[in-house]
Amino acid sequence: MSDPQRSVPDGGHDHDHDHSYPGESDHVHEDTTHVETQTVQLDVPEMDCPSCAQKVTNSVDRLDGIDSIDTRPTSGVLTVHYDSEHTTSDAVRDRVEAAGYTVKMPDAEHSESLSIPEMDCPSCANKVGNALDDVDGLVEYDLQPTTGTADVTYDSETTDSSAVVGAIEGAGYDVANTEADGTDEDATDDRSSIWTSTRGIKTWISGAFLGFGVLFEYFLTGQNVSLLGIPGGELALADLLLLVGIAVGGQVIVRNGYYSAKNLSLDIDFLMTAAILGATGLSLFFTGASLYIEAASLAFLFNVAELLERYSVNRARNSLEELMELSPDTAVVRRDGDEQEVAVEDIDIGEVVLVEPGEKIPMDGEVTEGESAVNQAPITGESVPVDKQPGEEVYAGTINEQGYLEIEVTSDASDNTLSRVIEMVENAQSNKTDREQFVERFSGYYTPTVVGFAILTALLPPLLLGGAWVTWFVRGITLLVLACPCAFVISTPVSVVSGITSAAKNGVLIKGGNHLETMGEVDAVAFDKTGTLTKGELTVTDVVPLNENTDEDVLRCARGLEKRSEHPIGDAIIERADERGLEAKTIDDFESITGKGVRANLNGQTHYAGKPSLFEDLGFDLDHVHLTTDGGVALEETKNRCADREDCLDLLAKTIPRLQGEGKTVVLVGTEDELEGVIAIADEVRPDAKLAVEGLHEAGIEKLVMLTGDNEGTAKAIAEEVGVDEFRAELLPDEKVEAVDELLEEHETVAMVGDGINDAPAMATASVGVAMGAAGTDTALETADIALMADDLSKLPYLYDLSNRANGVIRQNIWGSLGAKALLAIGVPFGLVSVVLAVLVGDVGMTLLVTGNAMRLSRVTPENE
């Protein structure tokens, strides 16, 4: 069914990137809607990294009148909003070139996506490809049978869309929804209602005549009168009925067979045409050869098989189309003070869209007004709606559950997160699995071999052994039916499509069938620590109040001291104090004590915050302090060291080592005379990290390793908490790559899980790279092999389970279909397999089985959903 084909015709060249942008016919788009502010969008192919983008930004920013600059290194697109009274688009282009980057000017190449509903198998794609190879000026084409689409790029000065469409229709396939010829009704009907399509109706008529023919041939023999004489004998009523069935059902088969012959394609259409015409011709012109029932059965059953295959393919296509339907076609925009409903393609970056409760969010953007809970499950797979307020990101296709929102658009409709996900899912079919490539190579030998065997079966026994010509001819026809490897060939692509679309619906973007296959074979997984197993943000984890101070007293003083600090630890303390609603004390005379901490006057009293060594230098006895027990925390390490109290603590020997052993940074807070408390700060482990590690262990992953640049103590504490088998600490980026290489030497297949940015080298070295939190990160979407759209590690066991099951389904489909064909082929020469059985089992049955088996993958969901 789905054999994605990508080809560059002779004399053409293959582009690694796309030069067309949303709503444009060329590469420069200027918006003159407003009198003063205009927009220019430029294609800068060489701007492919953050450093490049920064150089371009710095250069353009030198111009007067620049309002905003948006650089997208992943696509090489630069968008600049500027005041037309102070600068021009030519000046912007000159500044880009002054930075050392070429602006690609519009050229004659034009890209177009064509819908070919009937192109639903590798054989169909081969015929379309052969036809497109003869089109002059065609630069590139990409055929996707699983979606029934052809993406073509051509030189508009040499050819046009009508020539491309004409070539496809010349191969026997209708093109739907094109500018060249409008909407093809038959194709549309064929996609929406298989059974009542033109081919479907002809099939049922053919079947009815086959039924009546069998009725008169075997049951109403007295009424089966002879009608006229023909070279092959008498033509009876049953024969005439069967001939009508052959003509009605065989018309579309013979038509397709003609196009197969025209395009030199030895496919099922050509083979079935040869079988039907051969059986009918023998019956009409050779005495004693009555094969009308065989020919009529072939015409009817093969059409049924084709309709069933199309129905099965459409099930896979529909799973992808469900993704496409997530985003609304229109949105309400505020323009010049009025609310207007416009197509999403006509909405510009910077405009404000209005979203009522219960509506889908139409564009990627940033909330500017309103608060609401947003259901992000369509993009990230998160089951719980996420609260959104001004300043936070939202994604197209997600659902506004409660409140009214106003959203400033940050991406064009064709460049938003959902569009990129859909595009990557579609393109994923081009990355074939090893098994798929094997199947394609094998099928290239299989069909000619079986056809040769069929010819020998039909000729040798009658010639050498005196067998009956009719008997052995029918057996030869039966082998021709088995010569088509359709069920065998579609066994892998339909499984890949089902698996990839299922993953996308659950917030996991798999960018190729090869990555799906590889993930299912993983033996070891390497995790980055910061931002992957941990949240990547420092937070206060413990507050230990001392000497009758409360934890609020400790946080309030620490907040005041850290207010002027620029250290991330200070930010974590301030954030926790703000959460508790604690106001800062009046601060003055602030001083940073290098390497130790800070000092300041709070409400006129000198306070300190810093490392334990700072307070030792101040003369404090840290091995004997008193814990605040009234409303404070309870600690196991308290001792009865004083005669009348049981709240004594040894910070140096007990409390501080315990906190540091848990991977936490310890900050002490106090005055010159009193130690007020201890605050512990850490990069918290994600709540789902331990569950994810346990799930992977249960799934059978041999080794789970954490790689980090952090110190040994912190790394050990995190590793023990999440349950990984091994950790490696204090690694530089290149040392992480070496660690992955070492894992690859020990284990055949290794996955690397990270954020997709800092870990890119290690992820590229691994067999498969998995990036987290990709929904809001262009780089992660582009660089990772697999992207978890949300920061949700619990999706990892699901991903491995899905990939593992997909590999199992692919194996079952390949060997099941191949084994069935082999058994049937062996039985043909012995007269054990009839034409009808060959069609029903070898074609119809196996097609249904492999597609049905593959669709089971769509029911695989994460355990917590």
Side-chain angles (χ1 to χ4, degrees), residues 247-277:
V248 174
Q251 179 265 331
V252 65
I253 300 171
V254 173
R255 171 181 173 272
N256 291 339
Y258 161 75
Y259 286 117
S260 297
K262 180 181 176 182
N263 289 283
L264 303 178
S265 179
L266 184 64
D267 59 13
I268 188 62
D269 290 320
F270 177 81
L271 296 173
M272 293 302 295
T273 297
I276 292 171
L277 292 181

Side-chain angles (χ1 to χ4, degrees), residues 60-386:
V60 174
D61 205 32
R62 295 181 183 179
L63 294 172
D64 292 331
I66 299 297
D67 292 333
S68 65
I69 301 171
D70 180 19
T71 55
R72 294 180 178 270
T74 54
S75 57
V77 178
L78 169 70
T79 304
V80 179
H81 300 276
Y82 63 94
D83 187 338
S84 59
E85 292 185 356
H86 293 87
T87 190
T88 65
S89 61
D90 287 338
V92 173
R93 187 180 293 106
D94 291 340
R95 290 310 308 165
V96 175
E97 293 177 344
Y101 296 89
T102 302
V103 177
K104 185 171 178 62
M105 299 301 293
D107 53 31
E109 286 186 6
H110 180 72
S111 296
E112 189 172 347
S113 183
L114 304 176
S115 175
I116 314 172
E118 295 175 344
M119 185 185 70
D120 55 10
C121 67
S123 171
C124 306
N126 280 331
K127 281 192 283 188
V128 172
N130 290 339
L132 290 175
D133 285 338
D134 294 331
V135 178
D136 292 333
L138 188 65
V139 176
E140 177 186 4
Y141 61 81
D142 187 8
L143 306 178
Q144 298 287 355
T146 46
T147 56
T149 57
D151 296 324
V152 296
T153 302
Y154 55 85
D155 186 342
S156 58
E157 295 180 353
T158 305
T159 190
D160 57 19
S161 179
S162 61
V164 175
V165 171
I168 295 171
E169 293 181 340
Y173 296 88
D174 292 322
V175 179
N177 301 320
T178 65
E179 297 176 2
D181 65 351
T183 301
D184 184 271
E185 293 182 6
D186 286 341
T188 304
D189 289 343
D190 199 41
R191 173 170 286 193
S192 59
S193 182
I194 301 296
W195 313 114
T196 57
S197 64
T198 301
R199 185 167 191 171
I201 292 171
K202 289 180 178 179
T203 299
W204 310 135
I205 294 173
S206 172
F209 277 98
L210 171 61
F212 284 124
V214 171
L215 182 65
F216 280 97
E217 180 73 26
Y218 293 107
F219 300 100
L220 302 177
T221 54
Q223 285 74 38
N224 188 23
V225 297
S226 177
L227 300 178
L228 70 150
I230 57 174
E234 295 291 324
L235 184 70
L237 176 60
D239 299 333
L240 180 61
L241 291 170
L242 293 168
L243 278 173
V244 174
I246 294 169
V248 174
Q251 179 265 331
V252 65
I253 300 171
V254 173
R255 171 181 173 272
N256 291 339
Y258 161 75
Y259 286 117
S260 297
K262 180 181 176 182
N263 289 283
L264 303 178
S265 179
L266 184 64
D267 59 13
I268 188 62
D269 290 320
F270 177 81
L271 296 173
M272 293 302 295
T273 297
I276 292 171
L277 292 181
T280 306
L282 279 175
S283 302
L284 290 173
F285 300 107
F286 292 89
T287 304
S290 181
L291 301 175
Y292 299 111
I293 289 180
E294 284 78 1
S297 297
L298 281 176
F300 171 66
L301 292 175
F302 178 67
N303 275 318
V304 171
E306 289 294 286
L307 293 173
L308 286 170
E309 180 176 332
R310 190 159 301 156
Y311 174 76
S312 300
V313 170
N314 277 5
R315 288 181 64 191
R317 288 180 181 175
N318 289 340
S319 64
L320 180 57
E321 288 170 0
E322 287 174 10
L323 289 176
M324 300 177 182
E325 293 170 0
L326 288 176
S327 182
D329 298 324
T330 61
V332 176
V333 182
R334 181 177 290 127
R335 289 179 176 173
D336 301 324
D338 296 328
E339 296 181 6
Q340 304 176 23
E341 184 173 352
V342 299
V344 293
E345 293 83 4
D346 298 331
I347 300 175
D348 294 325
I349 294 173
E351 291 197 273
V352 175
V353 298
L354 317 179
V355 186
E356 298 288 345
E359 293 182 347
K360 290 182 178 179
I361 294 174
M363 307 284 284
D364 279 7
E366 183 177 296
V367 176
T368 58
E369 185 175 324
E371 295 183 4
S372 182
V374 175
N375 181 358
Q376 299 190 152
I379 301 296
T380 66
E382 295 169 284
S383 56
V384 179
V386 179

